Amino acid sequence: MASEETRTKSSPHIRTTESSASPGTAEPAPTATAGGPTEKSATRAWTARLLMVGIVLTALNLRPAITSLGALLEEVRDGLGMSGGVAGLLTSVPPVCFAVFGIMAPRLARRFGPATVVCAGMAAIATGLVIRPWVGGTAGFLAASALALMGIAVSNVLMPVIVKRWFPDRVGSMTGLYSMALALGTSAAAAVTVPLTDALGGNWRSGLGVWAALAAVAVLPWIPFVRDRRGDTRGQESHARVRTADGGPTTTPGPRNGDAPTTATAMATSTPGPRTEDAPARTEGTRDTAPGAPAPAVPARADTAPPALRITRSPIAWALAVFFGLQATAAYITMGWMAQIFRDAGLSAGTAGLLLAVTMVMGVPLAFVIPRLATRLPHQGPIVIVLGLCGLAGYAGLYLAPAGGAWAWAVLLGIANCAFPLALTMVGMRARTGAGVAQLSAFAQSAGYLISVPGPLLVGVLYQSSGGWGLPIALMAGLMVPQMAVGVLAGRNRTVEDEAAR
């Protein structure tokens, strides 16, 4: 693992210097042109800090497009002439987009690099949010929303991949950091959209469009990591360098890649079992020069991309996908309809928005605590149960006394919504390699979001047909039971590489 960490922590966008030594000969000492150790260390530290800023800003933008709409849903419905069923369709658009576009993320990351895809995703969010309120008509509103949600979808999938590749020894803490930022962005949009709309003259279009500015800022940290298409294509060729256990480079024959391995390359070449970079410094067609050095049974091949995992053969992948889907169902029903539940109970629009913000802000501290706790437990099932019981209690309160105990129900449902950072953490824990995490993340999120599509739509239909919130709340509570069951299964200490290889 030392070579894995050494390679991962290297700056992915800095060109390295290679010697022209022939195979089997020692590489000359680095020259001054390669930069001294202090310069390289400073560059790596700068890269890590910039990546952290990019991760945090990206996470802040992954939910305002949804929760800002939930806070103003009644005004948007009136302005566009939507029925309850159409509004339910609107709240189902996020999981549809996440399922459709999320599955494309690993392929795009291999082609262009994950940082490039995330950068483009932030640009898509900014564009979609700035035009969404002004295009006119329900169809244009849905299309612009889909553009923004496309950017959110690919970033959703690639965040665990970026954390796993650049911060392999800090998966729990980094997952907690961006989950905390995600919760902060979610709650901030819910809390300030209504007051911000009032400050901008009471026009809901301005209140929704202003969130494009935050997405535009999030584009900036990723620009230094954007690679041209030619560079990423070369990154998919065989490595020209194989790093030894102590991090030293050894020149190997084959096509030259002058750049340090990128995340796209790592995802394309990482496989379970022995890896090229973990093997001694030799390739096919060369021999160890040290006398008596043992020869591996199978020569390491750096020019052969491993086959993709058969992820659908893994029970743990299916359990994680269903868990992800059910928690997403609860989350999008909450973000889309919870403010309306409180408004129908007699609370003002501003108070309802604050209650939604309280629900979302519970994820700020818990999104940092839960992933760290989860990585220290051999089984994450107990955390799943606790979160599920909080959800059941919150739904019971909404059914019995929605206005009387509104703040308590908001807190309980906020705790239950922290199943999302737990699911993301389990994605990183249920795979051993960068390739495995990429495939599992894409499968769990795409399949999970497909599972979650009917939920918000069904809530809208039940609300309109029954004229109240009894049936929709009963549906939400009923879905919490299978969520706990599959969450316990997903929390078992297994990996998809082991199960998919059977």
Side-chain angles (χ1 to χ4, degrees):
M1 290 299 296
S3 62
E4 173 84 358
E5 295 178 6
T6 303
R7 182 193 63 175
T8 305
K9 294 178 183 177
S10 299
S11 176
H13 69 291
I14 299 172
R15 188 171 297 277
T16 56
T17 303
E18 293 186 38
S19 72
S20 58
S22 59
T25 61
E27 184 173 317
T31 61
T33 59
T38 303
E39 180 183 346
K40 291 181 179 179
S41 177
T43 302
R44 286 195 295 268
W46 176 86
T47 300
R49 293 189 187 100
L50 190 60
L51 278 169
M52 288 183 183
V53 171
I55 289 171
V56 169
L57 285 175
T58 297
L60 286 172
N61 281 279
L62 295 183
R63 294 298 179 270
I66 303 167
T67 51
S68 61
L69 176 60
L72 294 174
L73 184 59
E74 185 172 318
E75 287 76 10
V76 174
R77 286 177 59 189
D78 293 340
L80 298 178
M82 292 183 185
S83 65
V86 175
L89 176 62
L90 179 61
T91 56
S92 294
V93 170
V96 171
C97 291
F98 293 168
V100 172
F101 297 116
I103 202 169
M104 300 164 54
R107 181 176 298 180
L108 291 172
R110 286 192 296 269
R111 180 66 181 87
F112 301 103
T116 303
V117 177
V118 171
C119 184
M122 293 299 103
I125 295 172
T127 304
L129 292 184
V130 78
I131 67 174
R132 177 171 71 169
W134 309 102
V135 290
T138 301
F141 191 91
L142 288 172
S145 296
L147 175 61
L149 292 166
M150 176 181 66
I152 296 174
V154 295
S155 302
N156 266 339
V157 172
L158 293 180
M159 282 294 99
V161 177
I162 289 173
V163 168
K164 183 79 170 182
R165 297 310 306 161
W166 270 290
F167 303 96
D169 55 341
R170 297 157 64 186
V171 170
S173 59
M174 288 303 299
T175 300
L177 178 64
Y178 83 78
S179 297
M180 185 169 61
L182 186 150
L184 182 61
T186 305
S187 58
V192 308
T193 295
V194 172
L196 195 58
T197 302
D198 294 338
L200 294 173
N203 188 338
W204 62 267
R205 300 179 190 275
S206 300
L208 291 182
V210 73
W211 292 102
L214 182 62
V217 173
V219 173
L220 303 178
W222 297 106
I223 292 176
F225 301 100
V226 172
R227 300 172 60 88
D228 64 348
R229 181 176 302 183
R230 181 182 59 183
D232 287 307
T233 302
R234 287 186 295 108
Q236 295 176 29
E237 297 173 355
S238 61
H239 292 304
R241 297 162 72 85
V242 177
R243 292 193 176 272
T244 59
D246 64 357
T250 300
T251 304
T252 64
R256 184 180 184 276
N257 177 14
D259 297 316
T262 63
T263 300
T265 304
M267 289 192 296
T269 59
S270 297
T271 58
R275 291 179 300 247
T276 300
E277 60 271 23
D278 293 333
R282 68 188 299 244
T283 58
E284 186 180 23
T286 65
R287 295 187 180 274
D288 297 312
T289 56
V298 180
R301 291 183 60 90
D303 58 343
T304 303
L309 290 173
R310 296 182 179 179
I311 201 76
T312 55
R313 296 178 60 181
S314 169
I316 207 76
W318 280 107
L320 194 52
V322 176
F323 177 69
F324 201 100
L326 291 175
Q327 68 81 28
T329 300
Y332 289 108
I333 290 174
T334 299
M335 287 186 279
W337 290 107
M338 186 174 169
Q340 191 64 47
I341 293 175
F342 288 126
R343 292 179 73 168
D344 288 349
L347 300 176
S348 67
T351 302
L354 285 176
L355 286 165
L356 178 58
V358 168
T359 299
M360 300 296 109
V361 83
M362 291 303 300
V364 175
L366 292 179
F368 190 74
V369 172
I370 288 176
R372 293 173 66 88
L373 177 62
T375 56
R376 286 167 170 76
L377 294 177
H379 195 304
Q380 290 74 47
I383 304 177
V384 172
I385 297 297
V386 171
L387 298 180
L389 292 176
C390 289
L392 290 174
Y395 290 134
L398 279 182
Y399 182 84
L400 297 172
W407 297 99
W409 317 142
V411 169
L412 286 170
L413 292 175
I415 296 173
N417 274 351
C418 288
F420 177 70
L422 176 61
L424 291 180
T425 304
M426 288 196 289
V427 167
M429 297 177 68
R430 298 288 88 89
R432 290 197 307 266
T433 64
V437 171
Q439 283 189 258
L440 180 58
S441 180
F443 175 74
Q445 294 199 43
S446 296
Y449 284 127
L450 279 176
I451 292 170
S452 70
V453 169
L457 176 60
L458 187 56
V459 165
V461 172
L462 290 175
Y463 171 57
Q464 185 173 14
S465 61
S466 66
W469 287 105
L471 286 177
I473 291 173
L475 172 66
M476 300 178 214
L479 291 176
M480 190 59 67
V481 177
Q483 177 180 321
M484 288 189 287
V486 294
V488 170
L489 295 177
R492 294 173 296 172
N493 188 16
R494 299 181 182 180
T495 63
V496 292
E497 287 90 350
D498 294 334
E499 292 187 339
R502 293 176 183 173

